[in-house]
Amino acid sequence: MLSRIFGRKAPHRVAITGTDGAPSATIEVGRNKTVLESALEAGLSYPHDCTVGTCGSCRTRLITGKVDAITPFGYTLTREELEAGFILACQAVPLSDLAVEVDLAPADLAPRTFAARLVATDDLTHDIKRVTWEADAPVRYRAGQYMNVSWPGAPGPRSYSFSDAPGVDGKVRITSFIRRVPGGAFTELLFAQDLAEVPFTIEAPHGGFWLRDGAGPLLLIGGGSGLSPLMSVLEHAAAQGVARDTILLFGGRATRDLYCQDDIAAIGARWPARFEFRPVLSEEQADGLRFGLVTGEIPAAIADLGGAAGLQAYLCGPPAMIDAAVAVLTDAGVPLTDIHYDKFTDASTVAR
Ligand SMILES: Cc1cc2nc3c(=O)[nH]c(=O)nc-3n(C[C@H](O)[C@H](O)[C@H](O)COP(=O)(O)OP(=O)(O)OC[C@H]3O[C@@H](n4cnc5c(N)ncnc54)[C@H](O)[C@@H]3O)c2cc1C
Ligand code: FES
């Protein structure tokens, strides 16, 4: 308490290890600074985006030590995550030396800014388009990461996950699946106008959503445009010959929400281990398709993959779906450290 009133002189040390347990860096965090601020000042590629405690990108597990939260972590993290000791590095001010666990991106994948033009849009469903931008230089990223897109007069950048596998030296043409959000500043424009002349700015790569090493099975869960980073991860993994049993669960309301089925079948055909695509519809009963909420299919998928031991789960889509899926996964015995996700938050989520 006294140190918070009068300030403290000595910086606190924060030891960072990856989720594989390997030490990756130790930083010093000065008075009233957050873990994220100091990590970025030290030149680390610490996962982050909003820096105000809403996106969850800087999710970090606190192993030892105490922190103060500038805004409560519970606005963004689930109850299961809080109980497991997760914090948001952008909101965490150390009150002692800390040991934390987070996967840092390689230094050569620090975010850069690109000028870009929108060169193609293709309808994937009634409310999702594949959007292709052409950047002024190759954009490098890991499969599963996302970009921040801005345009003149934008109320703020919008985040979109890459849907293609990354090239070896990056890609000039980058794609994302974008869902129309009624009343949304960017997506209403995208669905109503030709944006070919708009000078976009893209900042990338962002996020810590990528395939971790391991030999255990993979459970991928997507909803709506949340298939975007999952397709990037799957395409890249297929090209790398990743031989892990995999089930892809996809949640939609009706058959008209299904897309990329041929691409998924093509990935499945060359996958060197078991690969199953299980679409789940919540509002339409259709022959051969599962009916209900996608989260309801998680226990059966885990059982079919041989149980929770060694399984990694990758989730993308609406925040409510992710929160519900995380609860089911942890109940089924999947540790939070093996659950990776990007919540597709928007202005309505942030304004909660
Ligand atoms: C890490 C990440 C990755 C993402 N990847 C994708 C992706 O690959 N594909 C994809 O489709 N989306 C993705 N998103 C979501 C995307 O970034 C946008 O949020 C989404 O496209 C909506 O943008 P918009 O400008 O159209 O809507 P916004 O302008 O953000 O509005 C969204 C909704 O909120 C309402 N709203 C606006 N302001 C307020 C307010 N103050 N209070 C209450 N409600 C408000 C609007 O009326 C609208 O209904 C991702 C998000 C994140 C965080
Ligand atoms: S960077 Fe910390 S929550 Fe967004």
Side-chain angles (χ1 to χ4, degrees):
M1 181 67 180
L2 285 177
S3 64
R4 285 178 66 188
I5 295 169
F6 297 110
R8 73 182 148 76
K9 296 208 169 57
H12 289 308
R13 286 166 67 82
V14 178
I16 304 170
T17 52
T19 53
D20 60 0
S24 40
T26 299
I27 56 167
E28 294 199 333
V29 182
R31 190 178 139 204
N32 294 333
K33 290 220 167 173
T34 64
V35 172
L36 179 68
E37 274 175 292
S38 302
L40 297 179
E41 281 170 14
L44 302 182
S45 290
Y46 205 105
H48 73 286
D49 186 7
C50 70
T51 74
V52 293
T54 54
C55 73
S57 293
C58 64
R59 190 179 79 128
T60 297
R61 195 162 72 89
L62 180 62
I63 302 168
T64 59
K66 284 195 166 174
V67 296
D68 207 0
I70 297 173
T71 57
F73 304 136
Y75 285 142
T76 301
L77 298 179
T78 63
R79 180 177 50 81
E80 292 82 6
E81 288 169 325
L82 295 173
E83 285 169 6
F86 281 88
I87 59 171
L88 295 173
C90 71
Q91 299 302 299
V93 178
L95 298 176
S96 68
D97 288 352
L98 311 178
V100 300
E101 185 184 80
V102 67
D103 288 323
L104 303 177
D108 62 344
L109 283 185
R112 288 181 48 202
T113 301
F114 303 85
R117 296 275 174 187
L118 198 157
V119 291
T121 57
D122 308 292
D123 289 338
L124 294 174
T125 71
H126 60 106
D127 68 349
I128 298 178
K129 286 182 189 289
R130 176 191 282 111
V131 178
T132 307
W133 279 276
E134 191 165 284
D136 60 350
V139 182
R140 298 190 64 228
Y141 60 94
R142 278 186 171 180
Q145 287 191 293
Y146 65 92
M147 60 186 133
N148 280 338
V149 177
S150 309
W151 66 99
R158 297 295 188 256
S159 305
Y160 294 108
S161 305
F162 298 101
S163 59
D164 275 347
V168 178
D169 297 314
K171 280 192 166 167
V172 168
R173 284 201 164 207
I174 47 179
T175 59
S176 186
F177 303 160
I178 301 187
R179 188 176 67 86
R180 177 170 172 256
V181 178
F186 177 62
T187 56
E188 289 285 22
L189 268 184
L190 177 70
F191 277 72
Q193 292 179 28
D194 178 358
L195 302 180
E197 297 305 317
V198 174
F200 285 97
T201 302
I202 284 177
E203 191 194 72
H206 278 290
F209 186 79
W210 60 71
L211 192 64
R212 273 35 180 203
D213 289 342
L218 300 172
L219 178 55
L220 278 52
I221 307 168
S225 50
L227 199 52
S228 193
L230 299 181
M231 289 303 289
S232 175
V233 165
L234 285 172
E235 270 183 25
H236 185 61
Q240 303 286 308
V242 169
R244 299 168 68 176
D245 289 347
T246 299
I247 293 180
L248 168 62
L249 291 177
F250 176 77
R253 291 200 170 102
T255 39
R256 68 178 191 148
D257 296 321
L258 301 180
Y259 63 105
C260 280
Q261 298 194 74
D262 291 346
D263 296 334
I264 294 169
I267 289 171
R270 59 195 170 110
W271 199 261
R274 171 184 182 167
F275 183 96
E276 251 191 85
F277 173 46
R278 297 183 178 176
V280 189
L281 302 183
S282 61
E283 292 179 4
E284 180 189 330
Q285 305 220 24
D287 278 353
L289 297 182
R290 289 168 170 79
F291 178 68
L293 291 178
V294 70
T295 45
E297 292 296 328
I298 293 174
I302 292 175
D304 291 348
L305 286 168
L311 178 144
Q312 292 174 351
Y314 295 86
L315 290 58
C316 254
M321 184 205 85
I322 305 277
D323 290 347
V326 168
V328 177
L329 286 162
T330 50
D331 278 355
V334 182
L336 277 164
T337 43
D338 286 329
I339 302 174
H340 306 277
Y341 64 78
D342 262 346
K343 286 184 188 177
F344 284 8
T345 49
D346 61 31
S348 64
T349 331
V350 172
R352 248 179 330 178

